C-alpha cells in the first residue's frame, strides 16, 4: 500500500474513531442510566422559563458580508502558501508578484473598512 | 526500540496501536486540563477548589465527575431535530481526534507525519465549528441558535489571522511538514518565536478565538446566552463538548509549540535521549501555553461581538499580512 493511501486511511480511521468513542461511551452509559421521560422534562429548556414561539425563529445573520470577504481572503491564503514554500527559489520576481497580489487585496479590505461595511449597528 | 519499529512497520497493527493510544490520550488530557482549570481558577480567585475527592488536593474530582455522567439521563427535547441533535457531539469529537494525528511528539513520532501537516491542521481545526453549528441549530432553542451563529461568525473572522500568521513560519522553514518545521528550527538554532514573534502573538490570539476561550467566549457567554449551543445537552453528550474543548486546547497549544517554540526539541538534548524525552518536552511546552489560556480566563473581560469582529478584520489581518511581507522581504532580499 502506498504511503499516500496510508495517510488518508490513518486520518479517516482517527476521525471515525472519534465517532466510535462517542457511540461506545453512550452505549455503556445506556445500561446504567435511567430513562424516565415526561412531557415536562422534554420541553425545551431555553432559559428556564417556558419557551415562547418556535425554536427556529428568524435571526438576522449579520455577517454575510464578512462571509464574502472571508472567501476572498481565504482564497488568497491558498495562493500564498505554495509561494511561501518556495519563496527563496522564486527570488525577487516572486516576491514582487506576491506583494502586488497582497496589496490589491489589502486595498479591498481598506475600501471595505472605509465604506463601513465592517461596522455593526 | 527495534521491536517497536517492527510492529509499527505493519500498517494495520500500527494503526490499531495508535488508536488505542489515542483512546487513552484523549480522556487523560481532557481530565488533566479540566482539573487544572478547576484548581488554577480556584487559586487565582483565592479559593480552595476541589478538595475532598481522592484524599489529597481532590485529585480524583474529574474521575468522579466522569463516572457521575454515566448515570445521567439522556434527555433530548421533544422539539429538537433528534438525529442531528444526537450527531453533533460525535462530529465535534471526530474533528478533535483527527487533529491529534499530525502532532509530532518526537523525531518522526507523529501518529502520521503528513507532508502537508500544517495545512491539514489548519483545515481540521475549523471543522469542529460545524459540529457546534449543527448542535445549536438542532436544539430548537433561540439561545443555542444565536450561540452557534456567533461561533460561526467567530470562525469566519479568526480563521484568516490563524492561517496567515503561519505563512511566515512556512517561508522560514520552506516546508509544511510539522516534523520538518521542527527540524528547520533545530538547524537554524533558534525557535521561530524569536524571528516570528508577531506571527506567534497573532496565532495565539486567533487560536484562543477559534477555541472560544475567554476573552472570546461569546458562543457560550453564560450571562447572555445561558450556555450557548450546549444549553439543551445533558449527560454524556454535554460532557463530549467539554472534552473536545479541553483536548482542542491541548492540540492547538501543541501545534503552536511545534511551529513557534521548537516543538519536541530541547536545547542541548540530542541522540536517543532526545527521542525518548521528545514527548515530555512537547507536552511541557504545550501545557505552558494551556496555562496561559487558563490565566487569560481570569485576566481579561469578555469582548463585545462587534469589538471581536473589528479586532480580527482591522487589526489582526493587516498585521498578519504585514508580517508575511516583512518576513518575505528579509528572507529573499537579505
Amino acid at each position: 500500500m502506498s504511503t499516500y493511501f496510508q495517510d488518508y486511511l490513518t486520518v479517516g480511521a482517527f476521525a471515525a474513531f472519534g465517532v466510535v468513542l462517542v457511540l461506545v461511551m453512550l452505549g455503556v452509559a445506556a445500561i446504567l442510566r435511567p430513562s424516565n421521560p415526561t412531557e415536562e422534562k422534554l420541553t425545551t429548556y431555553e432559559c428556564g422559563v417556558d419557551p415562547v414561539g418556535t425554536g427556529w425563529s428568524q435571526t438576522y445573520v449579520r455577517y454575510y458580508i464578512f462571509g464574502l470577504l472571508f472567501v476572498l481572503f481565504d482564497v488568497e491564503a491558498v495562493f500564498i502558501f505554495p509561494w511561501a514554500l518556495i519563496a527563496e527559489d522564486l527570488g525577487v520576481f516572486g516576491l514582487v508578484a506576491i506583494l502586488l497580489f497582497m496589496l490589491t487585496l489589502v486595498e479591498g479590505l481598506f475600501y471595505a473598512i472605509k465604506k463601513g461595511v465592517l461596522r455593526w449597528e | 526500540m527495534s521491536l517497536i519499529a517492527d510492529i509499527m512497520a505493519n500498517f494495520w497493527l500500527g494503526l490499531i496501536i495508535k488508536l488505542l493510544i489515542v483512546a487513552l490520550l484523549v480522556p487523560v488530557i481532557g481530565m488533566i486540563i479540566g482539573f487544572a482549570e478547576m484548581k488554577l481558577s480556584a487559586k487565582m480567585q483565592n479559593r480552595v477548589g476541589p478538595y475532598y475527592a481522592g484524599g489529597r488536593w481532590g485529585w480524583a474530582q474529574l474521575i468522579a465527575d466522569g463516572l457521575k455522567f454515566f448515570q445521567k439521563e439522556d434527555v433530548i427535547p421533544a422539539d429538537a431535530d433528534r438525529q442531528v441533535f444526537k450527531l453533533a457531539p460525535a462530529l465535534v469529537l471526530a474533528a478533535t481526534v483527527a487533529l491529534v494525528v499530525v502532532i509530532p511528539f518526537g523525531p518522526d513520532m507523529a501518529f502520521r507525519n503528513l507532508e502537508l501537516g500544517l495545512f491539514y491542521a489548519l483545515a481540521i481545526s475549523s471543522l469542529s465549528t460545524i459540529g457546534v453549528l449543527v448542535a445549536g441549530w438542532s436544539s430548537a432553542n433561540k439561545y443555542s441558535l444565536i450561540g452557534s451563529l456567533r461561533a460561526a461568525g467567530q470562525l469566519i473572522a479568526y480563521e484568516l489571522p490563524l492561517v496567515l500568521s503561519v505563512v511566515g513560519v512556512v517561508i522560514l522553514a520552506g516546508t509544511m511538514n510539522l516534523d520538518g518545521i521542527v527540524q528547520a528550527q533545530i538547524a537554524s538554532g533558534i525557535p521561530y518565536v524569536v524571528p516570528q514573534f508577531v506571527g506567534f502573538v497573532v496565532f495565539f490570539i486567533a487560536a484562543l478565538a477559534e477555541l472560544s476561550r475567554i476573552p472570546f467566549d461569546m458562543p457560550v457567554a453564560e450571562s447572555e446566552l445561558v450556555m450557548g449551543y450546549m444549553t439543551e445537552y445533558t449527560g454524556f453528550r454535554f460532557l463530549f463538548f467539554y472534552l473536545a474543548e479541553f483536548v482542542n486546547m491541548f492540540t492547538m497549544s501543541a501545534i503552536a509549540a511545534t511551529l513557534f517554540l521548537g516543538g519536541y526539541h530541547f536545547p542541548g538534548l540530542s541522540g536517543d535521549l532526545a527521542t525518548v524525552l521528545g514527548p515530555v518536552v512537547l507536552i511541557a511546552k504545550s501545557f505552558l501555553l494551556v496555562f496561559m489560556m487558563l490565566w487569560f480566563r481570569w485576566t481579561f473581560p469578555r469582548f463585545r461581538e462587534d469589538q471581536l469582529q473589528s479586532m480580527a478584520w482591522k487589526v489582526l489581518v493587516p498585521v498578519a499580512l504585514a508580517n508575511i511581507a516583512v518576513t518575505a522581504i528579509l528572507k529573499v532580499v537579505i
Side-chain angles (χ1 to χ4, degrees):
Chain A
M1 199 173 0
S2 70
T3 47
Y4 180 73
F5 187 55
Q6 285 180 357
D7 283 353
Y8 278 93
L9 209 63
T10 312
V11 168
F14 271 68
F17 188 70
V19 179
V20 170
L21 210 63
V22 171
L23 292 179
V24 167
M25 279 165 87
L26 280 171
V28 173
I31 304 164
L32 294 168
R33 67 178 175 231
S35 176
N36 181 24
T38 61
E39 202 186 321
E40 212 163 317
K41 201 187 275 177
L42 292 182
T43 52
T44 308
Y45 175 77
E46 207 146 86
C47 61
V49 187
D50 282 350
V52 179
T54 158
W56 287 288
S57 47
Q58 289 192 333
T59 323
Y60 175 35
V61 183
R62 275 181 155 127
Y63 26 79
Y64 72 93
I65 198 94
F66 292 87
L68 286 175
L69 270 175
F70 170 73
V71 172
L72 276 179
F73 275 90
D74 223 26
V75 172
E76 179 198 9
V78 171
F79 283 127
I80 286 181
F81 270 107
W83 160 78
L85 274 175
I86 49 167
E88 220 170 3
D89 302 338
L90 287 178
V92 178
F93 172 72
L95 178 68
V96 171
I98 209 78
L99 284 181
L100 282 176
F101 175 59
M102 270 161 52
L103 206 65
T104 321
L105 276 153
V106 169
E107 191 197 336
L109 181 65
F110 192 66
Y111 178 71
I113 292 171
K114 276 281 157 211
K115 193 97 172 145
V117 291
L118 298 184
R119 248 201 330 267
W120 286 44
E121 268 114 32
Chain B
M1 289 304 270
S2 67
L3 183 70
I4 299 171
D6 280 349
I7 293 171
M8 285 305 178
N10 183 329
F11 174 70
W12 294 105
L13 205 59
L15 187 62
I16 289 167
I17 291 170
K18 284 171 188 172
L19 288 177
L20 288 177
I21 295 172
V22 164
L24 264 176
L25 197 70
V26 166
V28 167
I29 284 177
M31 273 186 195
I32 290 173
I33 296 180
F35 185 70
E37 171 134 54
M38 279 180 178
K39 207 64 182 173
L40 285 171
S41 300
K43 290 281 175 212
M44 286 175 198
Q45 294 181 317
N46 211 3
R47 295 184 283 121
V48 180
Y51 190 68
Y52 291 105
R56 257 177 108 75
W57 308 308
W59 63 271
Q61 182 65 46
L62 258 282
I63 298 169
D65 277 353
L67 290 176
K68 186 186 72 180
F69 274 104
F70 272 105
Q71 37 155 352
K72 290 294 170 195
E73 190 174 347
D74 189 24
V75 181
I76 301 174
D79 283 345
D81 193 334
R82 266 189 90 86
Q83 296 306 322
V84 184
F85 185 85
K86 284 159 93 173
L87 184 72
L91 260 178
V92 174
L93 208 66
T96 306
V97 176
L99 189 57
V100 182
V101 174
V102 283
I103 301 170
F105 285 99
D108 209 21
M109 218 196 280
F111 286 112
R112 189 79 202 177
N113 192 7
L114 301 180
E115 199 43 55
L116 288 177
L118 179 54
F119 222 61
Y120 171 84
L122 292 172
I124 295 291
S125 66
S126 52
L127 263 188
S128 59
T129 309
I130 293 174
V132 168
L133 204 54
V134 165
W137 172 258
S138 62
S139 293
N141 173 339
K142 299 167 201 83
Y143 296 101
S144 298
L145 185 59
I146 295 173
S148 60
L149 284 176
R150 280 185 182 186
Q154 205 160 307
L155 172 84
I156 286 175
Y158 282 88
E159 180 70 6
L160 280 176
L162 190 78
V163 170
L164 294 174
S165 62
V166 300
V167 173
V169 171
V170 177
I171 293 173
L172 289 181
T175 175
M176 280 164 76
N177 181 320
L178 288 175
D179 208 341
I181 290 173
V182 176
Q183 293 298 337
Q185 289 179 71
I186 296 172
S188 75
I190 39 169
Y192 284 155
V193 67
V194 180
Q196 282 293 314
F197 186 70
V198 178
F200 175 67
V201 171
V202 172
F203 184 88
F204 195 69
I205 293 172
L208 271 178
E210 199 110 313
L211 295 165
S212 311
R213 291 293 302 181
I214 289 172
F216 302 102
D217 70 328
M218 277 70 98
V220 288
E222 293 95 340
S223 46
E224 302 166 24
L225 296 178
V226 191
M227 201 62 204
Y229 57 88
M230 293 189 270
T231 309
E232 297 298 333
Y233 283 89
T234 54
F236 253 123
R237 291 181 210 280
F238 178 75
L239 180 74
F240 285 132
F241 282 117
Y242 261 96
L243 183 66
E245 180 183 333
F246 289 143
V247 175
N248 273 333
M249 276 168 76
F250 172 78
T251 36
M252 285 306 267
S253 300
I255 289 165
T258 304
L259 294 177
F260 295 102
L261 302 181
Y264 52 76
H265 177 68
F266 191 81
L269 285 183
S270 61
D272 279 347
L273 195 64
T275 312
V276 175
L277 285 180
V280 180
V281 172
L282 181 78
I283 289 171
K285 284 175 178 173
S286 310
F287 274 116
L288 196 71
L289 292 177
V290 170
F291 174 73
M292 294 260 291
M293 290 178 182
L294 299 178
W295 192 5
F296 282 3
R297 176 170 179 180
W298 301 108
T299 308
F300 297 117
R302 183 183 300 141
F303 273 105
R304 218 169 53 209
E305 194 67 25
D306 61 327
Q307 291 171 334
L308 162 124
Q309 293 283 344
S310 61
M311 178 160 133
W313 290 100
K314 294 174 186 166
V315 181
L316 292 183
V317 171
V319 166
L321 286 171
N323 179 46
I324 296 173
V326 171
T327 310
I329 291 169
L330 288 179
K331 174 88 175 178
V332 172
V333 177
I334 301 166

